[in-house]
Amino acid sequence: MEIDKLKLRIKDSVELQRQQLTQLSLNIHDNPELGFEEEKASAWLTSYLKDSGFNVDRGIAGLATAFRATYGQGRPRVALLAEYDALPEMGHGCGHNIIATSAVGAGVASKPIIDQLGGSVVVLGTPGEESLGGKIDMVKAGAFKEIDVAMIVHPNILNMVAIQTLACSSLEVEFFGRPAHAAAQPHKGINALEAMILSFTSINSLRQHIKAEARIHGIITDGGEAPNIVPTHSAALFLIRAPDNEYLAELKDKVINCFTGASIASGARLEYRWRDRTYAPMKNNTTLAQLFSQNLESLGRHVEALDLRFGFGSTDMGNVSQVVPSIHPTISIASPGVSIHTQEFASAAASEAGHEGLMDAAKAMAMTVADILRPGMLDKIKQEFHSR
Ligand SMILES: [Zn+2]
Ligand SMILES: [Zn+2]
């Protein structure tokens, strides 16, 4: 069967799933689960894939809510990644219900391609994207060893085939002071909150002299107990982001200097821990991105020119992209005024525009699977991956 006919069949297959995919998306949206607790979502997604003829392994890579669903045996093996974790307080403000359902829809629509051209398609359930970095664990556990290409589509306000994301490390900081009556004997106290405020001020000064793409942002999680007690303990969580790992390392040292300086100035003892999951920047495979772009445009969507702009934060897909040729396109489901990680975006993720986004993402991904399995294409994709 020629490729165009195959692509028509793919689109029909996604359309045939419309009702089920939309319902699955709404079910996940209406039952938001935080990272590594996505029991309902992973159960629903895997049962849909199992019913559609996939071989399903749940709880892979030491993560209870991760899964691998495979159709076909051989290589090339193309992975379609599903995320399904929600955000605290705002449910699916990142629209991961659309990521999950477009991946399973594309997986099922890829079956005729595999039957026709050989190879296999794997829907990988990757939990805990928001700050927990589930894919980082999965990369370490070897979940991508037998994978040739990986794709994931994230809802957004524009259709973009390649986004640049930032390397990101998380930092936990604490200061320990000494209590005293804040009015009667303030000279006997050591103020852990002041140490934290000083640190924020130093970081604000540092921010004037860092690269434009880098980001440093934090929240205070403990600032003392009562205004009449000199705070003996303060704590904060910070995220440090940079366009590459080298600059991230440089910035991490500078940030720690801000905390150390505040510790010396205030007398409060500093303790800090870097969380061990560092998000890597996205290495976009442009060969793959162009295939996806053509397919998405053929569905009548305007796709932004391939232009690596910052502005998407960080994703653990970055870590996948460092080991396997990958793309992380975005699909528009909301007007440009809306920001992800908001209640408005959560509403968009359950709207008609959200459903259309999931349908088009599924179609474009499965059509791209067909392109990847064309003779010579994987070599081209891998050549680019190894040349950069
Ligand atoms: Zn997010
Ligand atoms: Zn997200």
Side-chain angles (χ1 to χ4, degrees), residues 83 94 96 99 129-130 154:
E83 289 171 8
C94 208
H96 291 185
I99 303 183
E129 190 280 328
E130 300 284 359
H154 200 297

Side-chain angles (χ1 to χ4, degrees), residues 31 113 119 144 180 205 222 251 359 361 370:
N31 293 273
I113 314 170
F144 292 90
S205 300
D222 183 16
L251 212 49
M359 292 294 287

Side-chain angles (χ1 to χ4, degrees), residues 295-319:
N295 288 320
L296 194 56
E297 281 196 322
S298 79
L299 300 173
R301 282 190 181 249
H302 167 73
V303 179
E304 302 296 317
L306 206 155
D307 167 22
L308 294 181
R309 288 174 294 178
F310 294 99
F312 201 80
S314 306
T315 168
D316 56 7
M317 189 63 190
N319 300 64

Side-chain angles (χ1 to χ4, degrees), residues 22-184:
T22 307
Q23 195 54 54
L24 200 48
S25 176
L26 289 174
N27 287 348
I28 296 172
H29 190 275
D30 294 346
N31 293 273
E33 298 167 296
L34 294 179
F36 296 161
E37 296 171 11
E38 312 97 324
E39 285 162 29
K40 288 178 188 159
S42 67
W44 290 330
L45 294 163
T46 49
S47 92
Y48 184 72
L49 288 161
K50 208 168 182 179
D51 292 347
S52 307
F54 280 69
N55 278 323
V56 176
D57 296 309
R58 294 183 65 183
I60 62 163
L63 301 172
T65 52
F67 64 83
R68 182 196 300 108
T70 311
Y71 185 82
Q73 318 269 325
R75 305 289 280 263
R77 190 166 292 133
V78 181
L80 308 173
L81 273 53
E83 289 171 8
Y84 31 83
D85 57 327
L87 290 161
E89 311 297 328
M90 63 170 68
H92 279 286
C94 208
H96 291 185
N97 55 307
I98 290 175
I99 303 183
T101 42
S102 62
V104 303
V108 172
S110 297
K111 286 167 56 182
I113 314 170
I114 301 302
D115 295 341
Q116 185 81 26
L117 304 174
S120 48
V121 64
V122 182
V123 181
L124 271 182
T126 65
E129 190 280 328
E130 300 284 359
S131 79
L132 296 170
K135 292 184 200 67
I136 302 172
D137 289 20
M138 293 177 75
V139 168
K140 282 184 190 155
F144 292 90
K145 276 223 169 83
E146 306 280 300
I147 301 291
D148 294 298
V149 167
M151 284 190 274
I152 187 166
V153 182
H154 200 297
N156 198 0
I157 51 170
L158 293 170
N159 301 303
M160 294 193 290
V161 284
I163 51 160
Q164 191 49 277
T165 68
L166 302 169
C168 179
S169 279
S170 359
L171 175 66
E172 295 172 26
V173 194
E174 286 178 289
F175 283 109
F176 297 88
R178 191 166 59 213
H181 191 293

